[in-house]
């Protein structure tokens, strides 16, 4: 409906506004005179209060001096003299203030003069008491006299202060009567009320004049927002609905009708009409959820199927939340998602996962059978070769002995290859049970396992303190064995192998391109040696399965050891790097999360 502005109402508002302004100005001028009288009376009352306060401060300073003096005489502790020393300044400050406040009152000026003389005598008494209480000049008779005289002076000071307070009290009573007469007119309240009313009228007038333009802007924004929301529902394949629980009225967005396969507003939204679209398998569950909405005023996620008018089955997900508007009406806001595509994708992923799981089981079974079936003939070959005695070898031809030696060497390499493959398979498939472990102990176990070759090569292994971490113990121990063994294998023949193992805690932010930033801290463990090293271009390929940088005749091995290291570190959500230069040694860096 188009809105037409009411110009007569607007003109009447302006007339009322002008009249109100004139009335307020008139009342304000009358109240101004009363306000001036009230201010003058208020000043006189405050003047009396100020005199009373200063007299109290004066009395308090003398009492503080008296208390400090007694404390010092009793304890001989200099800290008790602090109030006494500062009291003179306080007394002088109060006296100067009182002198100004009573400048227009000769009687109070004379009383103040008498009071000051008594105070001077009291301070002289204080000094004499301190003098004759000192051990060097102690005189009990004089001390008693001055203490008793000080008490009399204190009583006279109190009497003089009370006398001045009584005079001010009489002044106060007179001034309060005048103040009560002035306050009865309430000029401050009146003028504040009028000015406040005037302020609100001005603000209201300005607001009314702006409301028209603001309403136009809001209407325009609302139209744009409604259009964007409708397009968002179509693109996102979702719809919204509102259920007024007080009136039991349900409203659908246009896309709610569309995802049901009908034209917008083609039927009246009700519980029963919506249930007509629900698949028979899910109708009872959806009907029960609707009842729970009425009872619990909430709708958790519910998944169900619907049958559209074209008989196509679609999968839905719905949720809702209870809202209360400004009028107190309870409205349940709901969202329906068409998740058919996601549902079909999940089914496909589940099928792939089942196939993958089946394939993994078959692969594990194959690895197990293959490794054991391979080991049986290999054991027989090695057994038969071992039964060939030296006498048998003596009657053989040179070529036969060479062939026999090659068969024995190949059998040994096959044994190492099968053992490494089993170890790699175990790293992939064995249950990963993490335990809080001391890495220093695991490193000692690894060195014990390599003790024979370390002693043979007279290697020097230097280690720093390693941390305690949640790890798979046997895998970390195997990691240490492989890395240290790698350094020993590729040591330089003319140099004693030196292996240095160091550890430090680092922040993931220091390695943003390498480390996972969701984990804040890592332990960086480095293995450096003085071995033969390798070309830096191979620093990544050395971790690939069966990749070797040297021929099997130069250095024994299968090319699986570093691949196992990489797999172990990945099992711990860590990272491993290698760096080297030919003839300069190698550096392996392992990052394990804290």
């Amino acid at each position: 409906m188009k809105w037409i502005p009411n110009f007569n109402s607007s003109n009447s508002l302006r007339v009322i506004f002008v009249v109100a302004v004139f009335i307020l100005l008139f009342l304000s001028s009358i109240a101004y005179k009363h306000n001036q009288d009230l201010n003058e009376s208020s000043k006189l009352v405050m003047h009396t209060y100020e005199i009373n306060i200063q007299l109290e401060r004066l009395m308090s300073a003398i009492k503080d001096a008296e208390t400090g003096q007694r404390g010092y005489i009793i304890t001989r502790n200099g800290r008790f003299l602090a109030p006494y020393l500062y009291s003179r300044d306080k007394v002088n400050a109060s006296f100067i203030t009182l002198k100004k406040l009573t400048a227009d009152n000769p009687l109070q000026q004379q009383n103040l003069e008498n009071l000051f003389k008594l105070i001077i005598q009291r301070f002289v008494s204080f000094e004499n008491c301190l003098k004759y209480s000192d051990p060097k000049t102690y005189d009990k008779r004089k001390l008693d006299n001055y203490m008793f005289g000080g008490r009399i002076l204190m009583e006279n000071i109190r009497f003089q202060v009370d006398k001045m307070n009584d005079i001010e009290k009489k002044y106060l009573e007179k001034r309060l009567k005048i103040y009560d007469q002035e306050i009865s007119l309430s000029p401050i309240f009146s003028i504040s009320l009028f000015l406040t009313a005037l302020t609100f009228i001005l603000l209201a007038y300005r607001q009314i004049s702006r409301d028209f333009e603001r309403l136009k802007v809001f209407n325009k924004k609302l139209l744009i927002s409604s259009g964007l929301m409708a397009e968002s529902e179509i693109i996102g394949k979702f719809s919204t609905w509102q259920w007024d629980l007080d009136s039991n009225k349900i409203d659908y967005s246009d896309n709610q009708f569309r995802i049901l396969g009908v034209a917008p507003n083609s039927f009246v939204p009700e519980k029963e009409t919506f249930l007509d679209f629900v698949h028979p398998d899910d109708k009872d569950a959806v009907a029960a959820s609707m009842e729970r909405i009425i009872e619990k005023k909430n709708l958790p996620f519910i998944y169900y199927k619907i049958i559209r008018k074209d008989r196509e089955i679609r999968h839905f997900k719905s949720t809702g939340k209870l809202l209360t508007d400004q009028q107190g009406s309870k409205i349940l806001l709901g969202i329906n998602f068409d998740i058919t595509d996601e549902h079909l994708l999940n089914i496909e992923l589940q099928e792939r996962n089942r196939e993958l799981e089946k394939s993994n089981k078959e692969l594990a079974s194959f690895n197990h059978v293959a490794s054991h079936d391979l080991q049986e003939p290999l054991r027989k070959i090695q057994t038969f070769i071992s039964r060939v005695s030296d006498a048998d070898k003596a009657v053989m031809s040179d070529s036969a002995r060479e062939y026999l030696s090659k068969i024995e060497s190949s059998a040994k390499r096959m044994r190492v290859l099968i053992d490494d493959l089993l170890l790699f398979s175990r790293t992939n498939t064995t249950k990963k049970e993490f335990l809080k472990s001391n890495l220093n102990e695991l490193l000692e176990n690894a060195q014990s396992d390599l003790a024979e070759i370390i002693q043979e090569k007279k290697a020097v292994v230097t280690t720093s303190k390693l941390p305690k971490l949640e790890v798979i113990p046997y895998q970390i121990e195997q990691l240490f064995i492989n890395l240290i063994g790698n350094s020993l294998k590729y040591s330089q023949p003319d140099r004693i192998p030196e292996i240095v193992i160091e550890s430090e805690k680092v922040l993931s932010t220091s390695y943003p391109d390498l480390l996972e930033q969701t984990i804040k801290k890592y332990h960086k463990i480095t293995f450096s040696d003085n071995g033969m090293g390798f070309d830096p271009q191979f620093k990544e390929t050395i971790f690939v399965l069966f990749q070797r940088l040297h021929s099997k005749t130069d250095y024994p091995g299968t090319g699986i050891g570093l691949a196992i290291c990489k797999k172990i570190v990945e099992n711990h959500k860590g990272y491993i790097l290698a760096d080297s230069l030919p003839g300069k040694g190698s550096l392996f860096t392992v990052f394990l999360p804290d």
Side-chain angles (χ1 to χ4, degrees), residues 333-473:
L333 177 63
I335 302 178
N336 292 340
F337 299 91
D338 186 340
I339 59 170
T340 306
D341 295 340
E342 291 85 346
H343 178 76
L344 296 176
L345 181 60
N346 285 336
I347 293 175
E348 184 180 351
L349 288 175
Q350 289 174 6
E351 184 63 29
R352 289 183 179 179
N353 287 337
R354 283 193 290 269
E355 293 176 359
L356 183 59
E357 185 177 354
K358 181 180 178 182
S359 176
N360 286 338
K361 289 181 179 179
E362 292 175 351
L363 182 61
S365 177
F366 173 79
N367 287 339
H368 179 76
V369 173
S371 61
H372 285 276
D373 288 349
L374 281 172
Q375 289 188 74
E376 178 59 26
L378 184 60
R379 278 195 295 269
K380 289 182 179 180
I381 292 172
Q382 290 180 317
T383 300
F384 291 139
I385 291 175
S386 65
R387 290 180 180 177
V388 178
S389 63
D390 293 337
D392 294 331
K393 292 180 182 178
V395 299
M396 290 181 182
S397 64
D398 292 340
S399 59
R401 284 195 296 272
E402 183 180 354
Y403 293 150
L404 188 63
S405 175
K406 288 182 177 180
I407 292 172
E408 186 178 8
S409 176
S410 296
K412 289 181 180 179
R413 287 200 304 273
M414 178 63 77
R415 168 66 63 186
V416 173
L417 178 60
I418 291 174
D419 290 342
D420 285 350
L421 283 173
L422 285 174
L423 182 58
F424 185 79
S425 176
R426 183 185 175 204
T427 305
N428 278 319
T429 60
T430 307
K431 181 180 178 182
K432 301 175 179 62
E433 184 177 358
F434 286 80
L435 298 174
K436 186 76 171 181
S437 305
N438 188 337
L439 268 58
N440 296 286
E441 296 177 0
L442 300 180
L443 181 60
E444 289 179 6
N445 295 340
Q447 288 181 265
S448 297
D449 196 66
L450 297 169
E452 185 177 345
I453 188 172
I454 291 175
Q455 186 176 3
E456 177 186 336
K457 293 201 172 189
K458 299 180 181 180
V460 178
V461 182
T462 306
T463 64
S464 64
K465 186 177 180 180
L466 301 181
K468 292 182 179 180
L469 296 177
E470 294 276 350
V471 297
I472 307 169

Side-chain angles (χ1 to χ4, degrees), residues 265-276:
N265 301 314
S266 59
F267 62 88
V268 178
E270 293 177 347
K271 289 191 296 181
E272 292 74 15
T273 55
F274 181 76
L275 286 173
D276 291 340

Side-chain angles (χ1 to χ4, degrees), residues 439 469 476 479 483 504-508 510-511 514-516 519 521-527 566 568-578 588-594:
L439 268 58
L469 296 177
I476 294 298
L479 172 69
L483 290 176
E504 64 173 320
K505 187 180 288 189
V506 296
L507 298 175
S508 59
S510 302
Y511 303 88
L514 174 66
L515 302 181
E516 176 63 45
I519 301 174
K521 296 179 181 179
Y522 283 80
H523 287 275
K524 177 184 176 184
I525 305 174
T526 58
F527 296 78
K566 182 176 178 63
I568 290 173
V569 173
E570 288 176 349
N571 287 343
H572 290 78
K573 297 182 179 179
Y575 301 86
I576 184 169
L577 303 173
F588 287 87
T589 305
V590 176
F591 293 92
L592 296 177
D594 184 17

